[in-house]
Amino acid sequence: GAPVTADISELAEGQRLVLEWRGQPIWIVKRSKAMLDILPTLDPKLLDPKSNNLDQQPTYAHNELRSIKPEISVLVGLCTHLGCSPEMKAEIRPEPFDAEWKGGYFCPCHKSKFDMAGRVFAGVPAPINLLVPPHHYESDTSIVIG
Ligand code: FES
């Protein structure tokens, strides 16, 4: 499929833009500083906190935040278990959903949980982190997927 371009100039903190690339949902999320600060604290609870399975993101997103720019996360919005669409739970702590929950993505099909970098928690069915699709910045406010 052809690359698609996303205009993120209107994307506010905590918001998600959804587009389609190669028949898959692509999520672009602008993370707040609070969301980013939580990520390193989650490492002990995650299956692959350093994203060492290199198939799950391009090399330029193989870092702590799994992104090119710290605040902007680009993910394929399909659960890596059986492909359901996870729900975004961006709130830092929406009690009583889960006392341990720090915000991220929740798959309703078999309860896999991911953080705001798409990293999968340990002990859920999803075997790897959410995928980061190939992408680059055409300008500060324009991302090309593909
Ligand atoms: Fe998401 Fe099974 S498809 S947990």
Side-chain angles (χ1 to χ4, degrees):
V4 294
T5 301
D7 174 4
I8 59 164
S9 56
E10 304 289 315
L11 193 62
E13 254 184 23
Q15 269 192 341
R16 172 174 55 173
L17 189 67
V18 180
L19 48 139
E20 194 182 301
W21 173 68
R22 291 191 176 173
Q24 309 173 100
I26 302 296
W27 297 342
I28 301 178
V29 177
K30 187 167 189 174
R31 297 172 293 193
S32 66
K33 183 173 185 310
M35 290 170 180
L36 295 176
D37 287 348
I38 282 167
L39 293 175
T41 72
L42 300 175
D43 285 13
K45 297 177 182 169
L46 304 176
L47 186 65
D48 182 12
K50 301 294 178 208
S51 287
N52 286 324
N53 175 348
L54 295 179
D55 293 342
Q56 63 202 354
Q57 71 272 306
T59 51
Y60 47 79
H62 184 217
N63 54 52
E64 181 80 23
L65 304 174
R66 305 189 72 223
S67 59
I68 297 174
K69 291 190 186 187
E71 68 276 23
I72 304 291
S73 173
V74 183
L75 296 169
V76 176
L78 296 173
C79 182
T80 55
H81 181 220
L82 295 175
C84 285
S85 184
E87 297 161 3
M88 182 165 157
K89 306 273 186 187
E91 306 85 359
I92 300 297
R93 196 175 270 258
E95 307 280 5
F97 176 72
D98 181 337
E100 294 281 290
W101 188 251
K102 307 288 189 188
Y105 307 99
F106 174 73
C107 184
C109 290
H110 316 95
K111 300 185 165 49
S112 286
K113 288 196 297 184
F114 307 86
D115 71 5
M116 288 302 291
R119 300 180 301 171
V120 66
F121 282 76
V124 303
I128 61 170
N129 296 337
L130 296 179
L131 302 181
V132 177
H135 65 284
H136 66 272
Y137 284 82
E138 205 170 47
S139 74
D140 259 6
T141 56
S142 174
I143 305 179
V144 179
I145 314 294

